[in-house]
Amino acid sequence: MTLAILFVPLNAVLLSVSLGQRAESPDPRMRISSVDAVAYLDSVLWLQLLIAVIAVLAATGESGGRIGASFLAVPTRLPVLGAKVIVVGLVSFGIGVVGATAGQLLPHLLLSGTGVAYAADPADVFRGAISSGAYMGLIAAISLAIAVVAGNLIVALLVPLALFTIVPSVIASFGGELGSRISGYFPTIAGRTALSAAENPGGLDSTTGFLVMLAWAVLAVVGAGLRYRFADA
């Protein structure tokens, strides 16, 4: 958990140090005169893999006989699922907010006096922090729900990681223009519109992209609810 919180700030330190060193390079082509705060949110897209693993472990930690204790305490299964989604989602939201805030504020200190201008409007920093938190929370909810549906630790780890990274790239690479547009509707590609300046291949803006990612989370949680409702734990 500590690593998850420090992941984005540590990447911000490394990027700032690299930019500061390049600013002193005798080769003008190596220098970067300015950097925006959004550049420091790219590492959030790597943090999502760690968040997915944490969420899967949270879902599978009570699998089998051990979850029976939870069902004895709360005989109705859906509140158990709801509690897991809320707790893991809020923890991931907090990790995203804290990490993104620190990751965007540290460069003010690290780039001072290096010749690299750092543009970080307070409103943009706040928006980036909240967006990062929401993104992490939805990643956690989707991963946890998939783990509940899968019911197997290995499958529960492989499916979210493939959904978040491999599958969109494969569809975009081999599906032509249509495949590229479809890839834009996958959760991570759609959700990152709020964190990155990269153009969404499906033509989604930040608001629509977030709503698409939210829809993925809702569908995944509904699927997990059906799994809890109609199948053995």
Side-chain angles (χ1 to χ4, degrees), residues 116-228:
V116 179
Y118 179 59
D121 181 77
D124 292 336
V125 171
F126 176 79
R127 183 165 48 251
I130 297 300
S131 298
S132 298
Y135 184 91
M136 290 294 102
L138 292 176
I139 286 290
I142 295 171
S143 302
L144 186 146
I146 290 175
V148 170
V149 173
N152 176 277
L153 178 59
I154 302 302
V155 176
L157 287 171
L158 291 178
V159 171
L161 297 182
L163 177 66
F164 296 156
T165 59
I166 301 173
V167 176
S169 298
V170 171
I171 291 178
S173 298
F174 297 99
E177 182 178 353
L178 177 61
S180 180
R181 291 186 62 85
I182 291 174
S183 71
Y185 286 82
F186 276 76
T188 51
I189 309 301
R192 75 182 184 187
T193 53
L195 307 175
S196 172
E199 183 179 355
N200 181 275
L204 305 178
D205 58 24
S206 58
T207 301
T208 308
F210 176 80
L211 292 176
V212 168
M213 191 179 188
L214 178 61
W216 275 90
V218 171
L219 289 175
V221 172
V222 168
L226 293 174
R227 169 72 166 80
Y228 265 1

Side-chain angles (χ1 to χ4, degrees), residues 2-227:
T2 301
L3 176 60
I5 295 174
L6 296 178
F7 187 87
V8 177
L10 288 175
N11 275 275
V13 171
L14 294 176
L15 177 57
S16 296
V17 171
S18 174
L19 291 174
Q21 292 175 343
R22 293 176 64 177
E24 299 175 358
S25 172
D27 185 354
R29 295 173 297 178
M30 294 292 294
R31 303 172 193 165
I32 296 179
S33 59
S34 64
V35 62
D36 296 329
V38 69
Y40 289 88
L41 295 179
D42 285 346
S43 54
V44 171
L45 303 177
W46 292 103
L47 175 60
Q48 67 187 3
L49 302 180
L50 179 57
I51 292 295
V53 171
I54 292 173
V56 167
L57 294 178
T60 58
E62 284 188 311
S63 61
R66 282 177 291 177
I67 200 171
S70 296
F71 290 148
L72 286 175
V74 185
T76 304
R77 295 184 172 196
L78 293 184
V80 174
L81 174 63
K84 284 177 174 286
V85 171
I86 291 172
V87 170
V88 173
L90 287 178
V91 170
S92 301
F93 176 83
I95 290 173
V97 169
V98 173
T101 300
Q104 293 177 98
L105 293 180
L106 279 173
H108 274 297
L109 300 175
L110 299 172
L111 294 177
S112 178
T114 63
V116 179
Y118 179 59
D121 181 77
D124 292 336
V125 171
F126 176 79
R127 183 165 48 251
I130 297 300
S131 298
S132 298
Y135 184 91
M136 290 294 102
L138 292 176
I139 286 290
I142 295 171
S143 302
L144 186 146
I146 290 175
V148 170
V149 173
N152 176 277
L153 178 59
I154 302 302
V155 176
L157 287 171
L158 291 178
V159 171
L161 297 182
L163 177 66
F164 296 156
T165 59
I166 301 173
V167 176
S169 298
V170 171
I171 291 178
S173 298
F174 297 99
E177 182 178 353
L178 177 61
S180 180
R181 291 186 62 85
I182 291 174
S183 71
Y185 286 82
F186 276 76
T188 51
I189 309 301
R192 75 182 184 187
T193 53
L195 307 175
S196 172
E199 183 179 355
N200 181 275
L204 305 178
D205 58 24
S206 58
T207 301
T208 308
F210 176 80
L211 292 176
V212 168
M213 191 179 188
L214 178 61
W216 275 90
V218 171
L219 289 175
V221 172
V222 168
L226 293 174
R227 169 72 166 80

